[in-house]
Amino acid sequence: MTYNKSLEADLSRLSYLAGINNDEYNPTVKIQTIQSFFYHVLIAYDIYNPNTELGRVKLYTLENIISRCDCVMYSTRELQSYYETLNPNSIVMPNFLDVDKRYKDIKPANWKILADEQNIPYNDQTILIGFFGSDSHIGDLSLLEFPIMEIVKNNPNVLFTIMAGSDLILTTLIKKWKIANNKFLYMPYQNINEYLSYVACFDIGLAPLHNNIFNLCKSNLKLLEYGALGIPYVASKVANFQRFQIESKQVGGFTCDDQNEWIERINFLIDNPDIRKKMGQSLKQYVYNQYDVKNAIVLIANIFRTLYA
């Protein structure tokens, strides 16, 4: 189970399993997965604001759950290091993808329909450089403001394409960036079962992250999803993105430290369609081989074998 914005039911259920609100300890074996550093998520998840009564209760409950679990799985080693004092029985379990059920047979959506609705010129030569994510990335997208504005200005066939919450689109692109209406396409992020078909149309996937504690603890999931869809990426040189870059031997993308690198590396992929396609396919093969959920079976089996020993 992964914590996210809609936590009420999960907290209640896990509190019961952990015996927090019961007179007797519940003997059920309890394994908890943690994927976010909840003390630095005020923008994304206000219910964890330690300056409010509700936030303090949520964080206290989370700490109690972690401390009473038989095993805690973290998606990154950085995340484990922040929480492991609460419970020494922990391991790092990286993200895996259900390749067969969610990625192999994805049918790309038709962005041209949206382009027509938004009065955006779109044809077979159009190149989509895209981003998808929640409103928690409003700050992270500032890393792309100058690079994207320069790239769309100098490349008439390029559109910046975004799948995100309406607040992020309105606040960042329209009010702050003032990007030309005919240079970006958007799709409000609504249905978790549909977004992959739209992401699959990206020619280049972007993954900007500021170098802060919250992002330091994040996994490489976005790069895995780009990879599973055969999309080469350009990403921030942050913790697990850079680790993935080294681990994969840079087969499917680039990482960046500054704005000039963003411009240079995105333009390289724009100007070299054959290399772009080859990198996407190489990344896809790497993700399928290394990050298919089938590869997690042995790891999970070992966890249960240890707990029941």
Side-chain angles (χ1 to χ4, degrees), residues 49 119 124 200 206 239 298:
N49 187 341
N119 295 315
D124 292 341
L206 305 179
V298 173

Side-chain angles (χ1 to χ4, degrees), residues 155-275:
N155 293 275
N157 291 330
V158 169
L159 290 177
F160 179 52
T161 310
I162 183 167
M163 284 193 64
S166 298
D167 287 347
L168 186 149
I169 294 169
L170 179 64
T171 301
T172 300
L173 298 187
I174 299 175
K175 288 185 176 179
K176 187 172 185 296
W177 292 16
K178 295 181 172 62
I179 189 170
N181 289 338
N182 65 342
K183 298 306 295 182
F184 81 96
L185 264 172
Y186 68 90
M187 169 73 176
Y189 186 88
Q190 296 173 331
N191 190 330
I192 194 170
N193 295 315
E194 294 181 356
Y195 79 94
L196 288 176
S197 63
Y198 286 90
V199 175
C201 301
F202 293 174
D203 294 289
I204 302 166
L206 305 179
L209 286 180
H210 276 294
N211 191 10
N212 55 39
I213 294 176
F214 181 52
N215 289 336
L216 183 70
C217 292
K218 283 192 172 182
S219 74
N220 57 6
L221 180 59
K222 193 177 297 290
L223 304 191
L224 298 184
E225 292 204 291
Y226 283 144
L229 297 170
I231 303 167
Y233 62 80
V234 182
S236 294
K237 192 178 289 185
V238 175
N240 289 288
F241 284 178
Q242 183 61 15
R243 189 174 295 139
F244 179 77
Q245 181 77 348
I246 295 169
E247 166 202 310
S248 64
K249 299 181 180 178
Q250 307 179 41
V251 297
F254 303 103
T255 52
C256 307
D257 262 335
D258 58 47
Q259 294 180 331
N260 289 330
E261 287 185 351
W262 278 99
I263 294 172
E264 175 187 325
R265 286 159 190 180
I266 293 172
N267 275 331
F268 175 83
L269 291 174
I270 290 171
D271 295 337
N272 295 277
D274 291 340
I275 295 177

Side-chain angles (χ1 to χ4, degrees), residues 136-148:
S136 67
H137 288 285
I138 286 177
D140 296 321
L141 275 179
S142 66
L143 296 170
L144 295 181
E145 180 178 0
F146 178 73
I148 291 299

Side-chain angles (χ1 to χ4, degrees), residues 6 26 44 82 103 111 139 165 172 204 211 255 269 273 291 299 303 308:
S6 56
N26 191 313
Y82 281 108
Y103 297 90
W111 277 96
T172 300
I204 302 166
N211 191 10
T255 52
L269 291 174
Y291 285 93
L299 294 175
I303 293 171
Y308 283 103

